[in-house]
Amino acid sequence: MNVLEVQNLKKEFNGTEIIKDISFEVKEGETLVILGPSGTGKSTILRCINNLEKVDGGNIIVNGSSMIKEYKNSKPIYNNKEILNKINLEIGMVFQDFNLFPHLTIKENIIKPLKYVLKKGKEESEEIAKKALEKMGLIDKIDSYPCELSGGQKQRAGIARSLAINPRIICMDEPTSSLDPELVGEVLKAIKQLASERKTMVIVTHEIKFAEEVADSAIFIADGKIVEEGKPEDIIRNPKEQRTKEFLKRYI
């Protein structure tokens, strides 16, 4: 079953088309990695899926619910608030710069959306937060503030916050790009654990070896278009397109 369908997605900024007619699907339990040069629209795709950016064309369907209701005069009309809220709750987002509230403890960062978005009680929210932090190996940091954590710990806290809302899909936008090299491994290990548990994930990354190990499928994007797609080992080890080969030369 497809949990996510991106159909003919288009996005413009200041009249320049950044994403040009991109389509892909993700089945439940799959991990899809999105590869490609910087500035080619990879993060924008995730932001459109998370409804942080409005699309200019195409549609996004999450667990059977459509973001776009119809088109009028070639302009997308988004679905009603109830459906969009339902979609938003199906998707968790892990940002490259963590996006933790600095004035809240790690536990409070996780509890906040549980109480105010999902309307869960205090005790239930605290129990969910504890389980999520245990999963990420951070239970000893439950009462710490973000400034007291390393970059790797902050990112694992961000993943814990995403897991706590129990989304159908977790999107990760270059989750290791803001980390010192020695901290990358601990975050990749946590993500690999989620993949082994068959959590549905869409990950933008430049970690090529990790992508090959963790992903079920991969797409390579350049200049706002899908250049190549398929099994990660095929794209990474035996790319067919010259643009893909040029990109991978830097990493392999």
Side-chain angles (χ1 to χ4, degrees):
M1 173 186 169
N2 290 330
V3 181
L4 172 66
E5 296 177 37
V6 175
Q7 302 174 341
N8 309 110
L9 187 66
K10 296 179 183 178
K11 176 63 183 173
E12 296 180 3
F13 288 110
N14 300 321
T16 300
E17 199 171 40
I18 303 298
I19 299 174
K20 307 169 184 176
D21 200 29
I22 280 181
S23 298
F24 60 85
E25 299 172 348
V26 183
K27 290 184 171 59
E28 186 154 26
E30 279 189 345
T31 295
L32 168 73
V33 293
I34 303 177
L35 306 172
S38 298
T40 196
K42 304 185 303 297
S43 297
T44 302
I45 292 169
L46 294 191
R47 290 180 66 81
C48 289
I49 292 170
N50 279 272
N51 202 16
L52 298 172
E53 297 282 358
K54 298 301 183 186
V55 308
D56 293 304
N59 197 4
I60 296 168
I61 299 170
V62 177
N63 199 29
S65 297
S66 177
M67 274 195 192
I68 305 302
K69 184 168 130 180
E70 60 183 326
Y71 273 78
K72 288 185 178 177
N73 301 320
S74 301
K75 297 290 185 183
I77 307 299
Y78 272 74
N79 228 318
N80 63 56
K81 188 176 180 181
E82 183 180 346
I83 290 175
L84 293 179
N85 284 342
K86 179 187 173 189
I87 290 172
N88 290 341
L89 292 175
E90 300 275 15
I91 304 169
M93 183 72 172
V94 177
F95 299 90
Q96 57 183 295
D97 55 357
F98 321 128
N99 275 31
L100 298 170
F101 293 108
H103 62 292
L104 299 179
T105 66
I106 298 308
K107 179 175 75 172
E108 290 167 342
N109 264 278
I110 296 173
I111 286 174
K112 197 173 183 71
L114 295 174
K115 287 175 66 176
Y116 296 103
V117 179
L118 297 184
K119 308 299 182 186
K120 293 185 180 295
K122 181 182 177 184
E123 288 186 10
E124 185 182 4
S125 297
E126 289 189 354
E127 188 60 31
I128 291 170
K130 285 179 184 177
K131 286 181 179 177
L133 288 169
E134 282 175 347
K135 192 177 191 67
M136 289 294 108
L138 288 172
I139 195 63
D140 60 325
K141 302 294 183 182
I142 192 167
D143 293 316
S144 299
Y145 288 87
C147 64
E148 299 173 307
L149 272 57
S150 70
Q153 289 169 334
K154 288 177 188 175
Q155 193 57 286
R156 282 186 285 142
I159 295 171
R161 180 179 58 186
S162 179
L163 286 173
I165 66 169
N166 195 27
R168 294 293 295 272
I169 306 162
I170 301 174
C171 293
M172 299 191 183
D173 186 12
E174 299 197 27
T176 60
S177 67
S178 296
L179 303 180
D180 292 331
E182 66 268 22
L183 300 175
V184 169
E186 66 185 73
V187 173
L188 295 184
K189 182 181 177 182
I191 298 171
K192 284 180 184 178
Q193 179 187 340
L194 298 180
S196 71
E197 295 170 3
R198 307 309 294 170
K199 297 287 185 186
T200 308
M201 294 187 284
V202 181
I203 306 173
V204 169
T205 184
H206 282 104
E207 298 286 343
I208 302 300
K209 186 174 183 294
F210 161 75
E212 190 174 5
E213 290 174 354
V214 79
D216 299 290
S217 57
I219 58 177
F220 173 74
I221 292 175
D223 303 318
K225 298 178 182 177
I226 294 178
V227 176
E228 200 160 346
E229 57 187 316
K231 294 288 184 185
E233 59 268 27
D234 293 337
I235 290 177
I236 292 166
R237 296 294 163 187
N238 298 294
K240 295 182 176 65
E241 302 297 327
Q242 186 60 33
R243 187 69 183 85
T244 317
K245 292 175 183 177
E246 290 170 1
F247 172 78
L248 290 170
K249 273 181 188 176
R250 295 173 241 171
Y251 300 97
I252 298 175

